[in-house]
Amino acid sequence: MKNITTTDELAAFCAQAREHPYVTVDTEFLRERTYYSKLCLVQLAMPGEGAGTAALVDPIAGDLSLDPLYELFADTSVVKVFHAARQDLEIFQVDAGVIPQPLFDTQVAAMVCGFGEQVGYETLVRRIARAQLDKTSRFTDWSRRPLSEAQMKYALADVTHLRRIYEYLAKELEKTGRHTWVAEELATLTDPETYVTRPEDAWKRIKTRNGSGRYLAVVRELARFRESHAQARNMPRNRVLKDDALLELAATKPATVQDLHKSRLLLREARKGDVADGILAAVKSGLDCPDGDLPKPDKSREKLQVNPALADLLRVLLKGKAESYGVASKLIATAADLDALAGGLRDVPALSGWRHDVFGADAIRLCEGRIALRAKGSVIEVVEL
């Protein structure tokens, strides 16, 4: 194992890694007290078993630039292998506008290869690498130095076992010809837009039962302020304003600081200073919003007349298809997809790409009464009508 703390050391390791077909990557970070993740450690491993084939890159203890790593990420001759890559990729995209290419996510590949829903790294280590992980350092403060031997061993295991897992899953995909399935799933992960959070759209993540346009306008402006304030000060959005307090404020529409003190849910720090001023300005902006600019809730699915019997049949078809293809059922279609299909909608992910071939085409035929389902032992068969 190499403990890299300088740019020259990182450049040398990355140059060596570029001589191999793939490199495994993981990160350790903290996000509890910040808006953006604080990168604490990068783990890398290339094929082989020697001591020099794996490294811990320490951006805290050392004075280094990650530019050599980003150059490796841009080298399309080397596959970058992650497990559950989304949070790792967000760090690199926010830090340097870099998305590793080409990308391989072993969690996605494992779901395609029949290892179940959202399969964890520990499960793959046990089932594929035939090893056990030492979990004693799972919950640790990765920003503190020096790192203990146990911490370094734990962090390194996240990329050393990943080599065996990647090689196994890559062979399975080669056998089944499902590389394109994984590629479709990774398209969202490799899209920089995935990691962009726009304050003006933040309100769409907040669940509310009130569909009033004026109420939603205040929710929108409060959410916009919260997101902008959190981003500018690199602090968690809930440290500015929690969702339940935001919804309370949208309902009570405070106009003065004294009104803020009447809130049951507002944090004490939010009742004064910049946050209080921002809240009051946001409420006023929402109330002053022209009628033509009021947000409209998405009610397209509220009007669905879901046929419950058809939805149940679609669930049976999905289960049969998932078992037949050895693919996690939730990767093929969600419960919301099935209800949408049973309600007559056709603009759902389950009807596009590889999902259409595996499930979607027969799902449509089932909805249209052109096929039936038959149980033969434990197998669900499609019967032409």
Side-chain angles (χ1 to χ4, degrees), residues 33 41 63 93 106 158 217 251 254 266 284 289 306 311 347 371:
R33 298 184 294 275
L41 199 67
D63 180 18
Q93 172 62 24
T106 55
D158 284 344
L266 195 60
K284 185 177 187 306
C289 178
V306 177
D347 183 20
I371 61 171

Side-chain angles (χ1 to χ4, degrees), residues 210-218 286 294-297:
N210 190 331
S212 161
R214 187 64 56 189
Y215 173 83
L216 291 177
V218 178
L294 293 176
K296 297 177 176 60

Side-chain angles (χ1 to χ4, degrees), residues 116-137:
E117 317 287 351
Q118 300 293 317
V119 60
Y121 182 65
E122 182 183 354
T123 299
L124 296 183
V125 169
R126 185 176 65 253
R127 294 176 61 180
I128 295 176
R130 304 297 181 185
Q132 297 291 328
L133 292 178
D134 180 358
K135 297 181 286 186
T136 56
S137 296

Side-chain angles (χ1 to χ4, degrees), residues 49 54 58 61 72 132 166 169 206 262 266 302 307 320 334 345:
E49 299 296 332
D58 196 334
L72 173 62
Q132 297 291 328
Y166 164 68
L169 292 174
I206 300 174
K262 299 175 185 177
L266 195 60
E302 291 181 8
N307 181 331
T334 65
L345 293 184

Side-chain angles (χ1 to χ4, degrees), residues 266-282:
L266 195 60
L267 296 172
R268 182 180 301 174
E269 295 80 3
R271 302 175 190 224
K272 58 186 178 181
D274 292 345
V275 176
D277 291 342
I279 289 173
L280 295 175

Side-chain angles (χ1 to χ4, degrees), residues 40 48 68 73 92 101 119 141 168 175-176 237 242 259 281 288 300 307 353-354 361 376 381:
C40 299
F73 284 172
F92 300 131
Q101 295 281 4
V119 60
D141 184 349
Y168 175 88
K175 290 179 187 176
T176 58
R237 63 175 65 89
K242 294 184 178 180
D259 292 338
D288 292 344
S300 59
N307 181 331
W354 67 269
K376 189 174 182 180
E381 294 183 343

Side-chain angles (χ1 to χ4, degrees), residues 1 28 41 43 56 132-134 136-137 142 147-161:
M1 177 193 72
E28 304 297 343
L41 199 67
Q43 303 98 285
L56 299 180
Q132 297 291 328
L133 292 178
D134 180 358
T136 56
S137 296
W142 290 102
L147 295 173
S148 68
E149 287 294 325
Q151 285 176 310
M152 290 189 286
K153 181 179 178 181
Y154 172 86
L156 207 62
D158 284 344
V159 287
T160 51
H161 295 308

Side-chain angles (χ1 to χ4, degrees), residues 76-283:
T76 56
S77 70
V78 182
V79 178
K80 272 62 72 172
V81 181
F82 292 76
H83 180 82
R86 183 172 181 129
Q87 292 188 83
D88 303 312
L89 299 185
E90 182 179 10
I91 292 172
F92 300 131
Q93 172 62 24
V94 170
D95 182 59
V98 173
I99 298 289
Q101 295 281 4
L103 176 74
F104 189 97
D105 189 320
T106 55
Q107 185 177 71
V108 173
M111 292 173 72
V112 169
C113 292
F115 281 83
E117 317 287 351
Q118 300 293 317
V119 60
Y121 182 65
E122 182 183 354
T123 299
L124 296 183
V125 169
R126 185 176 65 253
R127 294 176 61 180
I128 295 176
R130 304 297 181 185
Q132 297 291 328
L133 292 178
D134 180 358
K135 297 181 286 186
T136 56
S137 296
R138 172 172 293 179
F139 302 106
T140 190
D141 184 349
W142 290 102
S143 67
R144 301 190 65 175
R145 295 294 182 272
L147 295 173
S148 68
E149 287 294 325
Q151 285 176 310
M152 290 189 286
K153 181 179 178 181
Y154 172 86
L156 207 62
D158 284 344
V159 287
T160 51
H161 295 308
L162 195 55
R163 297 178 293 199
R164 174 73 184 277
I165 293 168
Y166 164 68
E167 291 171 1
Y168 175 88
L169 292 174
K171 288 180 181 177
E172 288 298 302
L173 293 174
E174 189 68 31
K175 290 179 187 176
T176 58
R178 294 179 182 177
H179 284 288
T180 56
W181 297 17
V182 174
E184 283 185 37
E185 297 309 299
L186 296 183
T188 299
L189 283 178
T190 55
D191 183 355
E193 280 294 308
T194 299
Y195 309 100
V196 175
T197 303
R198 293 182 173 83
E200 61 269 24
D201 295 329
W203 71 280
K204 297 176 182 177
R205 298 193 303 267
I206 300 174
K207 295 181 180 179
T208 174
R209 297 179 181 178
N210 190 331
S212 161
R214 187 64 56 189
Y215 173 83
L216 291 177
V218 178
V219 170
R220 179 180 63 189
E221 297 309 314
L222 285 169
R224 185 204 304 265
F225 160 71
R226 178 177 69 173
E227 207 72 24
S228 297
H229 189 88
Q231 289 177 351
R233 289 158 179 78
N234 194 22
M235 61 189 297
R237 63 175 65 89
N238 282 344
R239 290 275 299 277
V240 182
L241 189 62
K242 294 184 178 180
D243 280 2
D244 55 358
L246 188 154
L247 294 174
E248 179 193 43
L249 294 172
T252 58
K253 303 175 181 60
T256 67
V257 172
Q258 288 70 32
D259 292 338
L260 293 181
H261 285 283
K262 299 175 185 177
S263 169
R264 297 179 300 108
L265 303 173
L266 195 60
L267 296 172
R268 182 180 301 174
E269 295 80 3
R271 302 175 190 224
K272 58 186 178 181
D274 292 345
V275 176
D277 291 342
I279 289 173
L280 295 175
V283 171

